[in-house]
Amino acid sequence: MRKNIVAGNWKMNNDLQETERLLNDLLVYDVPENVSVIVAPTFTNLVSANTMLKDSTIEVAAQNMHQADNGAFTGEISAAMLKSAGVNTVILGHSERRAYFWETNELLATKVDAALKNEMTLIYCFGEELEDRKNGNHFNIVKEQLEEGICHIAEAEWKNVILAYEPVWAIGTGETASPEQAQEMHEFIRNTILDTYNEEVAQGVSILYGGSVKPNNAQEIFGKKDVDGGLIGGAALDAENFMAIVNAF
Ligand code: PGA
């Protein structure tokens, strides 16, 4: 059901020692009861992160996975491998995966299916590029990303889905969507889910905002009606900043 969620996407940062240091720094803080906190270290550090967080409510997520069960896919990681490492959540379709690794909505639909088949929670990311926003095409792009990537799943499967709207022009740029722009798009997303499914699904899904969320803007963004939290990049690499965001509801 709809929850306040803050997820830290560490991207390709932090070796094992740095991961342990950041997790130790995070463990100093109390996690508020009304917020689900997730961190997504790189693949090689998932097991140690899970071990370090076993007595904490902070959950560990992977940043990506392959859609196949197993096989000749050199360098790839399957859902079952993640599960066996104790990882039950995966980020799919981050804009960097879409841009640098050519992940399309169609491919992502198969990753979504694989995650759900393996009873994982998934964070489905999507969002328009600057060009789309300038052309006034942002709603169409987002609708397409939802329709082609995730709106094929069964109603009951939505309980394992978190959506993350991340306008590409706001990621790592220091430029955030205004709280009003975020709310406008989040409402559109919820309405798109409502049109395809029903009120229960639309009201039940948590929709995170991502793109240059920092301690000084989180409260205003999270204060919007249809924003249920954030997917945090840069600011997730510092425990104090990340925990300030976690406490911004
Ligand atoms: P940012 O990244 O917070 O550094 O903009 C967000 C993301 O890529 O998920």
Side-chain angles (χ1 to χ4, degrees), residues 7-11 91 94-96 125 164 166-168 170-176 209-214 230-237 245:
N9 172 14
W10 294 4
K11 308 191 180 183
I91 299 172
H94 188 278
S95 66
E96 288 147 19
C125 305
E166 300 200 300
V168 179
I171 295 179
T173 58
E175 180 156 353
T176 24
Y209 170 79
S212 300
V213 177
K214 307 283 178 213
L231 181 55
I232 319 301
L237 298 173
I245 295 170

Side-chain angles (χ1 to χ4, degrees), residues 64 92-94 97-99 101-105 107-108 111:
N64 175 39
L92 295 176
H94 188 278
R97 301 290 320 167
R98 291 175 184 263
F101 303 95
W102 312 286
E103 294 196 359
T104 60
N105 294 332
L107 171 76
L108 288 166
K111 293 194 177 200

Side-chain angles (χ1 to χ4, degrees), residues 66-74 76-81 114 117-118:
H66 195 270
Q67 64 276 18
D69 289 340
N70 51 47
F73 300 103
T74 301
E76 291 294 324
I77 309 271
S78 71
M81 289 170 188
K117 190 174 88 181
N118 285 277

Side-chain angles (χ1 to χ4, degrees), residues 3 24 27 37 67 74 116 118 123 128 134 136 142 158 161 167 178 181 198 206 212 215 220 223 232 238:
K3 291 191 280 204
N24 276 327
L27 283 167
V37 178
Q67 64 276 18
T74 301
L116 292 172
N118 285 277
I123 303 176
E128 83 281 1
K134 279 190 177 151
V142 162
W158 277 90
V161 173
S178 69
Q181 283 173 318
N198 55 46
S206 297
S212 300
E220 219 189 329
I232 319 301
D238 176 88

Side-chain angles (χ1 to χ4, degrees), residues 14 46 109 117 132:
N14 291 340
L46 290 172
K117 190 174 88 181
D132 305 318

Side-chain angles (χ1 to χ4, degrees), residues 23-44:
L23 291 173
N24 276 327
D25 289 349
L26 289 172
L27 283 167
V28 170
Y29 293 82
D30 288 328
V31 175
E33 271 178 25
N34 64 334
V35 188
S36 295
V37 178
I38 300 169
V39 292
T42 195
F43 283 129
T44 52

Side-chain angles (χ1 to χ4, degrees), residues 31-225:
V31 175
E33 271 178 25
N34 64 334
V35 188
S36 295
V37 178
I38 300 169
V39 292
T42 195
F43 283 129
T44 52
N45 297 324
L46 290 172
V47 172
S48 43
N50 239 341
T51 306
M52 286 183 72
L53 294 173
K54 70 178 189 319
D55 296 326
S56 153
T57 57
I58 302 177
E59 286 201 39
V60 175
Q63 299 173 17
N64 175 39
M65 62 171 214
H66 195 270
Q67 64 276 18
D69 289 340
N70 51 47
F73 300 103
T74 301
E76 291 294 324
I77 309 271
S78 71
M81 289 170 188
L82 293 176
K83 293 275 300 218
S84 73
V87 177
N88 297 311
T89 305
V90 63
I91 299 172
L92 295 176
H94 188 278
S95 66
E96 288 147 19
R97 301 290 320 167
R98 291 175 184 263
Y100 308 139
F101 303 95
W102 312 286
E103 294 196 359
T104 60
N105 294 332
E106 290 73 20
L107 171 76
L108 288 166
T110 66
K111 293 194 177 200
V112 165
D113 290 341
L116 292 172
K117 190 174 88 181
N118 285 277
E119 293 174 350
M120 297 182 78
T121 294
L122 65 97
I123 303 176
Y124 180 74
C125 305
F126 54 96
E128 83 281 1
E129 299 190 21
L130 184 58
E131 197 69 6
D132 305 318
R133 175 132 316 234
K134 279 190 177 151
N135 295 340
N137 207 23
H138 43 300
F139 291 117
N140 289 338
I141 293 288
V142 162
K143 190 158 195 248
E144 201 172 272
Q145 290 168 325
L146 288 170
E147 282 177 354
E148 295 178 358
I150 197 150
C151 279
H152 62 285
I153 68 171
E155 186 183 325
E157 293 177 311
W158 277 90
K159 66 177 189 312
N160 292 324
V161 173
I162 299 164
L163 296 178
Y165 167 62
E166 300 200 300
V168 179
W169 47 272
I171 295 179
T173 58
E175 180 156 353
T176 24
S178 69
E180 291 69 32
Q181 283 173 318
Q183 169 54 29
E184 183 186 37
M185 185 57 91
H186 281 226
E187 188 176 352
F188 174 79
I189 294 161
R190 221 178 276 289
N191 283 336
T192 303
I193 306 297
L194 175 65
D195 291 345
T196 320
Y197 294 87
N198 55 46
E199 189 72 25
E200 201 184 328
V201 175
Q203 288 306 323
V205 65
S206 297
I207 310 176
L208 313 185
Y209 170 79
S212 300
V213 177
K214 307 283 178 213
N216 64 3
N217 59 23
Q219 196 165 14
E220 219 189 329
I221 297 170
F222 296 174
K224 292 294 176 190
K225 181 162 75 65

